[in-house]
Amino acid sequence: LNQAAHWVLPLSPSLSRFYCSTQRGAARRLVLRLAPSVKRLICRRCCSLLLPGAGGCQRLRGRGQ
């Protein structure tokens, strides 16, 4: 599913998030460990791929200065 999420990201970011959340949910349900390299590529909050320039979420600090 990880490779499918990478392939689909430019076409449909929401489908990519679905693949990532499905992968995390299956690992959690079956009590499997994800590889550290895979865990670093998925946002814990929104399940999007964290690739430079391709997607992900950003956290802004401060109050809109």
Side-chain angles (χ1 to χ4, degrees), residues 39-40 47:
K39 283 199 294 188
R40 286 186 206 109
C47 290

Side-chain angles (χ1 to χ4, degrees), residues 6-34:
H6 282 277
W7 184 76
V8 170
L9 182 62
L11 304 173
S12 176
S14 60
L15 185 59
S16 176
R17 280 193 300 272
F18 172 74
Y19 285 155
C20 291
S21 65
T22 302
Q23 181 180 12
R24 285 183 62 209
R28 185 176 296 144
R29 210 173 321 123
L30 298 173
V31 192
L32 299 173
R33 293 182 186 213
L34 291 175

Side-chain angles (χ1 to χ4, degrees), residues 17 24 42-48 50 57-60:
R17 280 193 300 272
R24 285 183 62 209
I42 300 174
C43 176
R44 289 183 178 182
R45 188 168 148 228
C46 61
C47 290
S48 63
L50 298 175
C57 58
Q58 293 179 342
R59 184 176 72 180
L60 300 175

